């Protein structure tokens, strides 16, 4: 059993922290900007809550975070009352936020100066993956720190892998989001086309789902997309944040992402339609909205 802190109890962090307590058996203290949510977590799982990230991190072996973006991450780590001010020597900070590779490298260096470890460890699998403890975790950092942290990370994951040095986890998550953007747009166009061609969408999907067109998106989202229901996971606002990171990194590295850039603009149209909190499969809504 380790002493663990978890910072950020959103739709992902809340159940992830829960698995560290229930599956890992760790002594878990949580922090959330809304204290009432931290109190609720502590009541539900039998852990403790702290009033600042620094307080949560004090004396911990591992400190996890899952917050919104680079600025949020800096705030809860190196900002006033940030967790880095409470880290003990040898502690490891594991960041599950989807953020930039730059901030990962920055915080890795800052942690090293304190004699601590830092692993960028963004996750894939969405809210359902977090709630079921089957996330994919893509890590960047030092091998020795990864080896120490891996058993704790495995409490809420089905796969945990070290992708390379600091920042490699975030870069791998960008690859993941680039793939998803294209897949969701393709599936949206396919369902839209099938409807326009007066095909039975259920029969069409049954025919193609076992072949080369198969994907997680098809298996898990075609029915809700066909029904125009978009309350099943990762929000458009967050996807646009992630794609923005992808496109900036592509610009910095010289990579060309024409489809990703186009899909990002399609998501902007979904936002303008009022779909900021719809899930990412809502790309189909802009196609069908054009008919109205």
């Amino acid at each position: 059993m380790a002493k663990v802190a978890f910072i950020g109890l959103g739709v992902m962090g809340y159940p992830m922290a829960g698995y560290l307590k229930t599956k890992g058996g760790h002594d878990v203290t949580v922090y959330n900007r809304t204290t009432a949510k931290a109190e609720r977590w502590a009541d539900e799982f039998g852990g403790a809550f702290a009033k600042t990230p620094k307080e949560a991190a004090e004396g911990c072996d591992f400190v996890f975070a899952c917050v919104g973006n680079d600025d949020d991450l800096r705030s809860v780590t190196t900002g006033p009352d940030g967790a880095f001010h409470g880290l003990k020597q040898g502690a490891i900070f594991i960041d599950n936020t989807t953020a930039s590779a730059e901030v990962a490298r920055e915080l890795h260096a800052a942690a090293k100066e304190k004699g601590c470890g830092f692993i960028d460890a963004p996750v894939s699998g969405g809210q359902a993956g977090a709630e079921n403890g089957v996330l994919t975790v893509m890590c960047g950092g030092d091998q020795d720190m990864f080896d120490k942290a891996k058993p704790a990370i495995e409490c809420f994951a089905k796969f945990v892998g070290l992708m390379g040095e600091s920042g490699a986890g975030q870069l791998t998550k960008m690859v993941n989001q680039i793939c998803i953007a294209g897949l969701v747009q393709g599936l949206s166009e396919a369902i839209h086309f099938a409807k326009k061609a007066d095909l039975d969408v259920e029969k069409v999907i049954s025919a193609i789902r076992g072949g080369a067109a198969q994907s997680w998106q098809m298996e898990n989202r075609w029915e809700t997309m066909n029904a125009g229901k978009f309350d099943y996971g990762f929000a458009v606002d967050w996807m646009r944040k992630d794609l923005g990171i992808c496109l900036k990194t592509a610009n910095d590295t010289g990579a060309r992402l024409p489809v990703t850039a186009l899909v990002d603009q399609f998501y902007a149209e979904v936002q303008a339609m009022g779909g900021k909190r719809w899930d990412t499969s809502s790309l189909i809504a802009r196609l069908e909205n054009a008919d109205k």
Side-chain angles (χ1 to χ4, degrees):
M1 183 181 75
K3 186 168 171 53
V4 176
F6 203 105
I7 298 167
L9 300 176
V11 295
M12 303 293 288
Y14 195 99
M16 290 162 70
Y19 276 105
L20 285 162
K21 178 67 176 175
T22 60
K23 185 177 178 181
H26 299 301
D27 178 6
V28 182
T29 299
V30 298
Y31 165 80
N32 194 66
R33 281 184 297 186
T34 306
T35 304
K37 199 168 193 179
E39 290 177 327
R40 178 159 59 87
W41 185 94
D43 288 342
E44 181 176 347
F45 292 101
F49 70 93
K51 293 184 178 179
T52 67
K54 177 179 181 290
E55 181 186 329
E58 288 173 346
C60 286
D61 304 297
F62 304 106
V63 180
F64 290 80
C66 192
V67 293
N69 54 37
D70 286 20
D71 290 340
D72 293 333
L73 184 56
R74 289 188 178 99
S75 176
V76 300
T77 53
T78 58
D81 288 321
F84 275 29
H85 303 301
L87 290 177
K88 69 177 184 180
Q89 188 91 5
I92 302 175
F93 193 99
I94 301 141
D95 176 36
N96 298 122
T97 308
T98 296
S100 70
E102 287 79 10
V103 76
R105 295 173 188 132
E106 171 191 320
L107 294 177
H108 177 266
K112 213 158 194 175
E113 285 183 8
K114 297 179 66 67
C116 300
F118 180 90
I119 298 170
D120 51 291
V123 302
S124 178
Q127 185 176 343
E131 291 174 349
N132 293 313
V134 291
L135 292 168
T136 292
V137 189
M138 302 150 273
C139 301
D142 302 323
Q143 184 73 55
D144 58 339
M145 294 297 173
F146 172 78
D147 292 340
K148 291 177 184 177
K150 185 179 179 184
I153 301 171
E154 287 177 328
C155 292
F156 51 74
K158 66 177 179 181
F159 172 85
V160 183
L162 183 63
M163 302 295 104
E165 60 188 18
S166 181
Q170 295 296 353
L171 291 168
T172 302
K173 179 61 183 289
M174 293 176 211
V175 173
N176 185 78
Q177 301 306 74
I178 291 165
C179 289
I180 290 173
L183 285 168
V184 176
Q185 178 61 21
L187 183 58
S188 297
E189 292 182 15
I191 294 172
H192 176 68
F193 177 88
K195 287 181 173 182
K196 285 294 189 181
D198 293 325
L199 291 170
D200 183 316
V201 176
E202 183 174 359
K203 287 182 179 179
V204 170
I205 297 297
S206 296
I208 68 174
R209 71 194 311 170
Q214 191 275 340
S215 69
W216 185 96
Q217 299 295 334
M218 180 179 288
E219 289 298 314
N220 293 276
R221 290 289 177 266
W222 81 264
E223 289 183 284
T224 53
M225 290 169 74
N226 191 44
K229 297 178 179 178
F230 310 119
D231 189 27
Y232 295 90
F234 195 61
V236 168
D237 275 355
W238 292 117
M239 186 59 158
R240 286 217 71 205
K241 183 264 291 186
D242 290 0
L243 294 182
I245 294 171
C246 295
L247 293 168
K248 181 184 182 300
T249 304
N251 185 63
D252 293 342
T253 60
R256 297 173 64 241
L257 303 179
V259 172
T260 303
L262 186 60
V263 175
D264 180 56
Q265 291 308 301
F266 291 163
Y267 276 124
E269 292 180 32
V270 174
Q271 288 177 315
M273 292 167 55
K276 293 182 178 183
R277 301 302 302 170
W278 293 350
D279 70 61
T280 52
S281 71
S282 58
L283 280 175
I284 193 173
R286 61 169 291 279
L287 297 173
E288 300 194 337
N289 189 61
D291 297 332
K292 297 176 182 178

